[in-house]
Amino acid sequence: QVQLVESGGGFVQPGGPLRLSCAASGRAFSSYVLGWFRHAPGNERDFVVVISRTGGSTYYAASAQGRFTISRDNAKNTVYLQMNSLKPEDTAVYYCAAHLGGSYYKSSSYKYWGQGTQVTVSS
């Protein structure tokens, strides 16, 4: 089992950067594929990006490609999401999650979730 806690959300102007962190408890952190999802009002929880156990492979949603970068530090039990060139449509609650099995792009494939961190992009 792993417990996840996100941080780093906040208010940012369009075009600005923000870095989210997700700290995990538990010794099995490095055994999990980890993903970031986001949930905006009126939308479903949408896939953003996923990273492999070693960090060697990543897959991004089209909306995140080229602007967001995921990374992980298994020694620190932490996964990061660097977001650049933020847009108002990036406004959402961002969640990190530990993958259980199945499609990486479906939230139902993830078993453990953090509480989320709010990101608001507005001028």
Side-chain angles (χ1 to χ4, degrees):
Q1 185 173 352
V2 62
Q3 293 181 329
L4 304 169
V5 179
E6 302 95 337
S7 62
F11 185 94
V12 61
Q13 293 187 340
L18 207 59
R19 189 194 196 202
L20 306 183
S21 299
C22 175
S25 63
R27 294 178 293 178
F29 178 80
S30 61
S31 69
Y32 288 100
V33 171
L34 298 169
W36 284 95
F37 285 75
R38 66 187 184 186
H39 187 195
N43 291 354
E44 296 184 353
R45 191 170 294 191
D46 295 326
F47 168 80
V48 178
V49 60
V50 64
I51 189 167
S52 64
R53 295 174 182 84
T54 63
S57 296
T58 57
Y59 300 95
Y60 292 86
S63 59
Q65 186 72 47
R67 299 187 299 125
F68 294 4
T69 303
I70 189 172
S71 60
R72 67 189 294 168
D73 186 339
N74 287 341
K76 295 183 178 180
N77 280 13
T78 304
V79 60
Y80 306 96
L81 183 64
Q82 177 67 44
M83 303 186 294
N84 297 326
S85 303
L86 282 163
K87 305 174 182 180
E89 51 263 43
D90 294 318
T91 296
V93 178
Y94 283 72
Y95 298 88
C96 66
H99 182 256
L100 177 64
S103 170
Y104 292 136
Y105 310 110
K106 295 182 178 180
S107 59
S108 58
S109 299
Y110 293 74
K111 182 176 183 179
Y112 303 110
W113 292 82
Q115 84 290 349
T117 186
Q118 175 71 47
V119 172
T120 302
V121 184
S122 177
S123 57

